[in-house]
Amino acid sequence: MAAARSRARHRSRFSAEDRKGLAVIAVSLTILALLAVFALTVLRAPERNYDPVSLCNSSLPRFAQYIVVIDASDTLSAYQAHFLKTHLAGLLDKAAVNDRFSVFVLDDHYNGLSEPVVDLCKPNTGRDVSALTANRQFVQALYRERFELPLDRAIASAVARGDQPVSPIFEALSDVAALNHFDPAAENVHLTIVSDMIQNSRAGSVFKLGPAAVDGLPLIDLRRARTRVLWLDREKYQQYQTAELQASWKDYLDSVSRLEAIQRVRN
């Protein structure tokens, strides 16, 4: 009897409301634990493991690197500058997150390439970011301020230089190969050369030798690159920008890289 009375008193301590409250607390603690696990998973997600300077993420695949070499030895016309900006916008739009953009200009001071004016990996644009895992406005601002604006400034600076006495196209391409500008993590490399293709340096001068200046250039190793030339037509160089010169460049670039096209861009 005493044992029965004890069990009855023990049950009376937890009414139906008490048991309901305890169940609610247990469920709440379970939800909090799940949220903590979710938050920890998000914070450790590969998508967040990017370099704060280059915006490159070593934990994500890099499908492509886009290398752009801009020959600013003569000022680009308004149409050519617009064409270049549209072309780069197209590359940027089709690129995947973490693809790398390396933009160079020909530098007559160093007789080759300067340091890259832009060398960044494409971050999330904000369009594909989940509101549960990131602040979309923050991501959009990061994309605009750290990626789009530097790229715009680099293009504007490059196309405004103009009228340099030397046009070291070969030396610039040689620097791309020799200075390890190819990203080893990139599955594909796309090289765009933006130039009038009037080689003029100690390695060879089209002004002096015509297409033979290109025929005599040493071979370099750009075989990882799928190469496209945006050939800038210049009215003052019509006598040099001949079909024979284009054929010489085609043969040369075919032999050192995977040439896709030479596209003429009117003045």
Side-chain angles (χ1 to χ4, degrees), residues 66-72 76 83-84 87-88 91 102-106 113 167-174 176 182 190-199 217 220 222 225-234 249-250 252-254 256-265:
Y66 297 89
I67 299 176
V68 182
V69 176
I70 302 173
D71 177 4
L76 277 68
F83 186 95
L84 173 58
H87 176 77
L88 290 177
L91 294 181
S102 305
V103 181
F104 302 87
V105 296
L106 300 192
L113 285 185
S167 182
I169 300 167
F170 163 76
E171 288 83 355
L173 298 179
S174 181
V176 169
F182 289 139
H190 302 272
L191 170 63
T192 301
I193 304 166
V194 184
S195 173
D196 57 23
M197 304 309 285
I198 304 292
Q199 169 71 30
L217 294 174
I220 53 179
L222 297 171
R226 300 177 185 273
T227 304
R228 176 177 292 271
V229 177
L230 301 184
W231 181 298
L232 305 176
D233 281 337
R234 301 208 189 276
W249 274 115
K250 181 182 183 304
Y252 181 78
L253 293 172
D254 263 334
V256 300
S257 71
R258 291 176 287 169
L259 180 64
E260 291 186 332
I262 295 178
Q263 182 177 357
R264 302 290 286 253
V265 183

Side-chain angles (χ1 to χ4, degrees), residues 18-218:
D18 290 337
R19 289 194 293 274
K20 185 177 179 181
L22 288 172
V24 169
I25 291 172
V27 171
S28 299
L29 289 173
T30 301
I31 292 173
L32 286 173
L34 290 173
L35 286 174
V37 171
F38 174 76
L40 189 60
T41 301
V42 167
L43 289 173
R44 292 182 175 179
E47 290 79 3
R48 291 177 173 267
N49 187 28
Y50 65 86
D51 183 273
V53 176
S54 68
L55 305 182
C56 294
N57 190 323
S58 60
S59 298
L60 293 178
R62 184 162 304 129
F63 298 108
Q65 179 189 18
Y66 297 89
I67 299 176
V68 182
V69 176
I70 302 173
D71 177 4
S73 55
D74 277 279
T75 305
L76 277 68
S77 70
Y79 175 81
Q80 289 169 344
H82 175 73
F83 186 95
L84 173 58
K85 189 169 184 177
T86 302
H87 176 77
L88 290 177
L91 294 181
L92 183 57
D93 187 59
K94 76 176 184 180
V97 170
N98 207 42
D99 281 356
R100 185 172 177 177
F101 281 77
S102 305
V103 181
F104 302 87
V105 296
L106 300 192
D107 193 321
D108 65 336
H109 178 70
Y110 294 104
N111 203 31
L113 285 185
S114 64
E115 291 298 311
V117 292
V118 168
D119 194 16
L120 296 169
C121 288
K122 180 181 176 180
N124 277 305
T125 63
R127 290 177 298 183
D128 302 321
V129 173
S130 168
L132 292 174
T133 60
N135 184 317
R136 186 168 295 175
Q137 289 184 335
F138 171 78
V139 174
Q140 288 173 333
L142 177 70
Y143 180 82
R144 178 66 181 156
E145 293 172 11
R146 296 295 311 282
F147 192 79
E148 280 191 332
L149 287 178
L151 195 58
D152 287 346
R153 285 194 293 266
I155 296 168
S157 173
V159 301
R161 295 189 178 198
D163 298 326
Q164 298 179 14
V166 177
S167 182
I169 300 167
F170 163 76
E171 288 83 355
L173 298 179
S174 181
D175 283 350
V176 169
L179 300 180
N180 297 319
H181 288 304
F182 289 139
D183 188 332
E187 295 179 18
N188 296 287
V189 176
H190 302 272
L191 170 63
T192 301
I193 304 166
V194 184
S195 173
D196 57 23
M197 304 309 285
I198 304 292
Q199 169 71 30
N200 182 34
S201 71
R202 283 178 291 183
S205 174
V206 170
F207 294 132
K208 296 177 180 177
L209 300 175
V214 178
D215 298 334
L217 294 174

